[in-house]
Amino acid sequence: MKEFKKESLLDMFLEQPEQFLSGEEISRRLSISRTAVWKQINKLRQAGYEFEALPRLGYRITDLPMPLEQEKLKTLLQGGMGRELHILSTTPSTQEDARRLAEEGAPEGTVVLAEEQTGGRGRMGKSFFSPYGKGVWMSIILRPSQPLHLVQQLTLLCGVAVQRGIRNTTGLAAGIKWPNDLLINDKKICGILLESKAEDDRVSYCIAGLGISANISKESYPEELQPIATSLKEESGRAVDRNDLILSVLHELEELYKIYNRDGFQPIASLWEASSITLNREVSVQSPAGVTTGKAVGLHPSGALLIEKSDGSHYPVFSGDIRISPVQKG
């Protein structure tokens, strides 16, 4: 059997980008079985290419991946965030890569990016869907000077930076859900994971992990995520240049981090509250201490969420899985 090369199949589609190619035609031209055609289409999908498949017509390419451009990013990242840049094709987790670099003494502002994560992690041990070429899978090393109990503030700072970066790049208004998610039309667009190492109650370093769903199509999500997840492409109707999005998010992160180090948490808290979809809503929070219900009314100075209970008392929630009650209509 003739040796198959993935590029040959890709060339066939790129030569006729608007045309359907039947499985029979591909099989004949490449001298491979129909099963092999299907397998190679799936390999291309895993590499970020998207196809429309119709009975009797075959396959048509609908979207090409836009790769991360190391030279462009290096040239334009002149400040603190991105001063040292690592771009990987695939990795289990950018968090672990950034952690190793931090342990080796990498400077604050070091950024690790990957086209794909095979073991992406969210909060509370959850997996994070990170397909090849379709999102911003990024971890940033921070070396703040505050005590460990104030690290929660940096999660909220990152949320504001991502919210502003998305708005600058796409015009979309994402809402921030405490403590670490961004949503558009009640569907998740970004997750944030902040992990820290401390010595004598002082922070040695933090790894801020950002996962932004940029160009994932609805049908590409696992079935269980389709009702609750979306992407910037789905919401805006057009593909997003991930390089521009990365630049905007890192620029916003750098500016907010400067404000935070100079003026403290209050300016960040005000920006967070202005973009929050959690405040003034009835919520329930599942935490190690149990379930707390009430109305989210503000932020504690530490970054914890303040819940007003039925007796009028305020209770700070420092971590947990939050559920927001639907807005009552009528």
Side-chain angles (χ1 to χ4, degrees):
M1 180 179 290
K2 180 180 178 181
E3 183 181 354
F4 176 75
K5 295 182 180 180
K6 184 172 69 174
E7 290 76 15
S8 298
L9 176 58
L10 182 57
D11 287 344
M12 288 176 62
F13 283 108
L14 296 180
E15 286 169 5
Q16 300 173 291
E18 301 298 322
Q19 302 297 315
F20 281 91
L21 295 175
S22 70
E24 181 180 358
E25 180 183 358
I26 297 170
S27 177
R28 176 181 56 80
R29 289 173 59 177
L30 298 179
S31 300
I32 59 174
S33 69
R34 295 286 292 272
T35 300
V37 171
W38 179 81
K39 288 181 178 178
Q40 294 301 329
I41 290 286
N42 281 340
K43 284 185 178 180
L44 286 171
R45 282 176 168 148
Q46 292 169 7
Y49 296 88
E50 293 187 11
F51 296 88
E52 181 181 9
L54 293 177
R56 296 188 295 277
L57 289 177
Y59 305 92
R60 178 171 68 92
I61 196 164
T62 58
D63 193 27
L64 282 67
M66 294 183 287
L68 300 176
E69 300 177 38
Q70 181 139 1
E71 291 308 313
K72 176 181 179 178
L73 293 171
K74 275 188 172 181
T75 299
L76 296 177
L77 289 172
Q78 299 295 331
M81 300 301 167
R83 63 176 60 179
E84 188 174 304
L85 182 65
H86 302 263
I87 299 182
L88 309 172
S89 175
T90 185
T91 185
S93 168
T94 59
Q95 286 291 94
E96 295 306 316
D97 297 311
R99 186 196 305 276
R100 284 193 293 271
L101 290 170
E103 290 286 352
E104 293 167 3
E108 181 171 72
T110 296
V111 172
V112 179
L113 284 157
E115 291 282 10
E116 173 190 41
Q117 292 184 120
T118 58
R121 294 184 291 109
R123 287 178 67 250
M124 304 175 73
K126 297 177 181 178
S127 62
F128 196 91
F129 184 58
S130 317
Y132 192 98
K134 296 299 180 181
V136 173
W137 323 127
M138 174 167 62
S139 295
I140 305 122
I141 297 174
L142 302 175
R143 297 188 182 275
S145 58
Q146 77 267 47
L148 181 62
H149 72 275
L150 296 181
V151 162
Q152 175 70 61
Q153 297 174 347
L154 294 175
T155 300
L156 307 185
L157 186 154
C158 288
V160 176
V162 173
Q163 189 268 346
R164 290 158 70 101
I166 287 174
R167 184 188 61 198
N168 295 342
T169 309
T170 68
L172 294 170
I176 309 176
K177 177 186 173 185
W178 187 92
N180 70 321
D181 290 341
L182 276 77
L183 281 66
I184 298 178
N185 294 324
D186 294 324
K187 291 188 175 183
K188 185 171 177 176
I189 199 81
C190 171
I192 299 167
L193 177 64
L194 199 84
E195 299 177 303
S196 306
K197 179 181 178 181
E199 296 178 3
D200 299 324
D201 199 39
R202 304 295 299 184
V203 177
S204 176
Y205 62 79
C206 293
I207 308 297
L210 312 179
I212 309 172
S213 300
N215 294 322
I216 305 175
S217 59
K218 181 179 179 180
E219 58 271 16
S220 296
Y221 278 107
E223 186 175 349
E224 67 273 14
L225 294 181
Q226 290 184 13
I228 59 174
T230 189
S231 71
L232 298 176
K233 179 183 177 182
E234 287 289 326
E235 297 299 322
S236 67
R238 59 184 176 85
V240 176
D241 187 320
R242 294 179 299 146
N243 298 285
D244 291 343
L245 178 60
I246 290 164
L247 289 168
S248 186
V249 168
L250 290 177
H251 171 75
E252 294 292 343
L253 180 61
E254 182 167 351
E255 292 303 308
L256 292 172
Y257 195 58
K258 287 178 181 177
I259 292 171
Y260 177 71
N261 286 328
R262 183 185 68 231
D263 301 327
F265 179 58
Q266 187 53 50
I268 307 303
S270 297
L271 292 171
W272 185 92
E273 290 172 345
S275 298
S276 170
I277 60 170
T278 306
L279 296 185
N280 302 312
R281 302 274 294 275
E282 295 296 322
V283 301
S284 62
V285 183
Q286 177 72 53
S287 70
V291 178
T292 301
T293 61
K295 184 178 181 181
V297 294
L299 291 176
H300 185 271
S302 67
L305 184 67
L306 285 177
I307 306 293
E308 184 177 83
K309 303 175 79 172
S310 57
D311 62 4
S313 64
H314 288 180
Y315 180 83
V317 176
F318 294 91
S319 65
D321 190 17
I322 186 170
R323 295 184 181 276
I324 303 175
S325 299
V327 176
Q328 297 295 323
K329 297 182 180 181

